[in-house]
Structure formats: C-alpha cells, structure tokens
Amino acid sequence: MVEAVQKTLILLLLIGLGLALRSKIKNKTEINGVKEIILSIALPSTVFIALMGIKISLSLLIYPILVLGFNFFIFLSTPYFLPVFGIEKDSTAGRTLTMLLPSLAPGLSSFPFINEFLGDESLALAAMGDVGNKFFALNFLYFVAMKMYLKNNHTEVVEDKGKVKSLLLSLVKEPINIIMLLAIIFLSLGINMSALPSAIAELFNRASSLMTPLVLIYIGLAVQFKEGKIKLVSSILLFRAGITILFSVLIINIFNITTPNLILLAVVIPLSSCSFWPFAHISAINLKEEEKGFTKERKTFDMNLAVLILAFSLPLSTILVMGILASGEFFAHTSTLLITGFIFIGLGLAPHVFKKTKTYLKFSKVSS
C-alpha cells in the first residue's frame, strides 16, 4: 500500500510539473507536439513491448468486442438519460453528447496507469480492446454525425466514398495500429522480444520509458477549465462514470472474471476520457455549416459544449483511473463496484433532482 501511495504521489507531481510549465509553454502547437510524441512514439513503443510478451490467441478477439459493446451501450442509452438533465435528445446539446460520451481515449487517460499499476500484460490486453473503440469512434460515429447533419438540414443522403476511404486509411495509418499489427505478425512467426536485435529492442525500451512522464506532463499542460455549463457537464460525466462501472460489473459477472487484474482492467478502460475523434467529426460538420452561414440555433452540434466535455473528461477520468488502481484490490470486488457506481450516479443526478424539487416546492407555495 505504501508503494502504491508513493507511486501515485510521483504521478501527481508529474501532472503538477505540467501545470507549472504552462507559463512557459503557452503555444497550442507546442502542446500538440508533446501529444504527437506520445501517440506516435512513446505509446506505440510501450504497446509493442507489452504485446511481444503475450501469447497470440484467437481468444484475444474478445477484448475489442467487449469494448465495442461498451461503446454501443453508452451510445444507445444516452438518448434515454439526457432528458433527466433537461436536454432533448434531438437538440444541438443532445446530438453533441450522443457523439462524445460513448467514445474512449485510453491512450492518454488510462494506459499510463494500467502500465504502472497492472503491468505489461494488462496493457497489451487494454491495447487490443482499444481496437474496437477506434473502429467505433473513427468509422461508426462518422456515419452517425453525417446522419445527424443530413437530418438536421433536411438534406438527401449522399454517400461520401472518398471520406469513408480516408477514414479507413487513417485507421490503418495510426502508429499504434501499425505497431500492433507488426507485433501480431512477429508473434505469429514465433518471434518475441528477446529474438529482436539488441539495438532495436533497446530503442523500443528507451522510447517506452518516455510514455508515463510525457502523458502526465501533457495532462498538466493541456487541461483547461473553460467557463460554461460546468455544473451540467460535471453531472453528466459523473453519471457516465456511474453507469460505466455498473456495465463493468455486468461484464465481470457474465464472464465470471475472478482475477483482480482483469477485474480492474474491466473497470478502468471504460472509465477512460472521451475521445477527440468524434470531436473531429463534429468540427468538420460545424465548419461546413459556418461556410453556409448557419446560425448557432440551426447548427447540428454545440462546439462550446463539446470543448467543455473534452476539457473536463480528461482530468476526471485520470483521477478516477489513478484512484482505483492506486487502491490495490479494494475495487476488485463487485460489491464495492456496485456501491461506487450508484454513488456516482447519485452525485450526477443530485443537482438536477434538487433543482426540480426546489422548483416544485416553490410552485406549490405560489399555488397555495
């Protein structure tokens, strides 16, 4: 336990270092440069090392399928719980949340902590699971965004083959996907890490060592709390965390998972922050509508709300994932997870239930 506390303190200090550097690095391009190093060099190297240490098996396909199942669970349930927060599902805010909430960005918000607390094997399984999430965010959500745009503007459906091809190509070209494919090919041929030339192995080891420090410094640099619907966004993200944990409990029970590491993995991956990919789809459509001179009310999505969701999602997910993993096996029990899930749901709903109760009591007094 002392070791976990010490490790957590070091991770928090690295985030603090990022916050301290904000006065020195204010240029968005420089911050994005740090992000690019993480996603193109450090993270792929770490995933490569992790994958090269596991035995290749068709059973690994279950991980992307399960993560994809989570994506669709949140996607299909979002329209039903939005009215609780006073948001119509077919409004700009409703469409924006339906796009963002089901997506995951584990590379920045959970992979570093999985690697630190659960080890290489767990990271390899998490990376496999992210394949399903990437397909969902890059491809499925693009079609959803286009459908929302066409419906909102009463436009006939036009199949954009060029865009679809471009999205599929970007999925293949992503460094982490290239490196995962390479690792799978090597493992299929019976080549593991020790069989690689020492210079190549050392290159991956050195690049991998950059990941956790860079990610945490990046979080400190990039996180911004902009003014806006802060209470609403916080409530929705807490509620999302609550139903996410309940989904994890369901999966743990269905598959009778008893290994603590796998239980914790099933909990923290879905708790990852919202992804940038659906935001990219939203931005593209927003730009198209601005060129046509659309007013804010006529637009398909709410860009300000999307930015706010991303800004709050990353630090919240980081805190939750780090807290759960740093607690050892405390959260590796379904009873603890059930209580935690309902607590988060309660925290998310409380401000809105209180507001409605207050409005009702005020109305009752006026009526009497």
Side-chain angles (χ1 to χ4, degrees):
M1 189 64 182
V2 175
E3 186 183 347
V5 172
Q6 187 178 2
K7 190 177 286 186
T8 306
L9 181 60
I10 292 168
L11 299 180
L12 290 172
L13 287 172
L14 283 167
I15 295 175
L17 182 59
L19 289 167
L21 286 172
R22 288 173 75 151
S23 59
K24 296 285 184 183
I25 305 176
K26 295 180 180 179
N27 192 314
K28 192 176 179 181
T29 306
E30 293 175 336
I31 296 173
N32 285 337
V34 176
K35 180 182 176 183
E36 195 59 41
I37 293 171
I38 293 166
L39 297 179
S40 299
I41 299 173
L43 181 58
S45 298
T46 307
V47 168
F48 180 78
I49 293 170
L51 284 173
M52 291 293 279
I54 66 171
K55 292 180 180 179
I56 196 72
S57 167
L58 283 175
S59 62
L60 291 176
L61 289 175
I62 191 64
Y63 296 99
I65 291 169
L66 287 176
V67 175
L68 197 58
F70 166 77
N71 293 137
F72 277 105
F73 166 71
I74 297 293
F75 175 77
L76 295 172
S77 60
T78 298
Y80 292 99
F81 68 70
L82 286 180
V84 178
F85 297 94
I87 299 170
E88 293 181 17
K89 63 179 181 180
D90 202 23
S91 62
T92 54
R95 290 188 287 267
T96 303
L97 290 165
T98 302
M99 284 287 292
L100 285 170
L101 293 180
S103 65
L104 298 172
L108 292 174
S109 54
S110 62
F111 280 4
F113 310 108
I114 290 170
N115 188 49
E116 287 292 324
F117 289 99
L118 301 182
D120 288 350
E121 187 177 345
S122 295
L123 178 63
L125 299 179
M128 287 297 297
D130 191 38
V131 172
N133 169 62
K134 278 196 173 69
F135 177 83
F136 178 85
L138 269 169
N139 297 284
F140 178 76
L141 286 182
Y142 164 70
F143 291 110
V144 170
M146 287 304 297
K147 185 180 177 182
M148 289 176 173
Y149 166 73
L150 295 169
K151 182 182 177 183
N152 186 53
N153 295 285
H154 309 290
T155 309
E156 290 183 7
V157 177
V158 179
E159 190 176 1
D160 190 348
K161 291 183 180 178
K163 180 64 176 175
V164 174
K165 186 178 178 182
S166 160
L167 281 168
L168 290 172
L169 199 60
S170 66
L171 185 64
V172 173
K173 282 184 174 180
E174 271 205 55
I176 190 168
N177 291 336
I178 294 171
I179 213 75
M180 284 175 68
L181 181 61
L182 187 65
I184 290 168
I185 291 170
F186 281 167
L187 289 171
S188 302
L189 297 172
I191 301 170
N192 56 25
M193 203 68 185
S194 60
L196 294 176
S198 58
I200 300 295
E202 185 62 20
L203 175 66
F204 278 105
N205 283 323
R206 293 292 179 94
S208 172
S209 66
L210 296 172
M211 187 181 76
T212 302
L214 274 181
V215 167
L216 297 172
I217 290 170
Y218 170 78
I219 290 170
L221 284 170
V223 170
Q224 293 186 16
F225 299 100
K226 298 187 177 183
E227 292 183 8
K229 303 172 183 177
I230 294 173
K231 187 183 290 186
L232 174 66
V233 168
S234 302
S235 297
I236 290 172
L237 289 175
L238 285 169
F239 183 84
R240 173 186 183 255
I243 61 172
T244 293
I245 292 172
L246 295 186
F247 175 85
S248 296
V249 171
L250 180 66
I251 294 300
I252 290 163
N253 284 323
I254 288 174
F255 290 90
N256 193 27
I257 301 171
T258 55
T259 309
N261 272 23
L262 286 178
I263 291 174
L264 292 173
L265 204 59
V267 174
V268 298
I269 292 175
L271 283 174
S272 300
S273 62
C274 299
S275 172
F276 176 80
W277 284 112
F279 179 76
H281 302 326
I282 289 171
S283 301
I285 287 173
N286 187 69
L287 183 62
K288 189 180 291 189
E289 290 176 334
E290 282 183 351
E291 289 171 354
K292 292 183 179 181
F294 282 21
T295 60
K296 186 179 179 181
E297 291 72 24
R298 274 199 66 193
K299 286 183 178 178
T300 307
F301 301 107
D302 185 337
M303 280 293 289
N304 292 332
L305 179 61
V307 170
L308 202 61
I309 286 284
L310 290 178
F312 269 75
S313 180
L314 181 59
L316 177 63
S317 292
T318 301
I319 291 166
L320 291 178
V321 170
M322 192 188 299
I324 287 170
L325 294 179
S327 301
E329 295 185 10
F330 179 76
F331 287 97
H333 306 282
T334 51
S335 55
T336 307
L337 291 172
L338 280 171
I339 294 168
T340 306
F342 284 119
I343 287 172
F344 280 128
I345 289 172
L347 289 172
L349 293 176
H352 303 277
V353 172
F354 178 74
K355 185 179 178 181
K356 286 181 181 179
T357 305
K358 191 176 179 182
T359 305
Y360 174 77
L361 290 173
K362 186 177 179 181
F363 180 76
S364 299
K365 285 181 181 179
V366 172
S367 300
S368 59

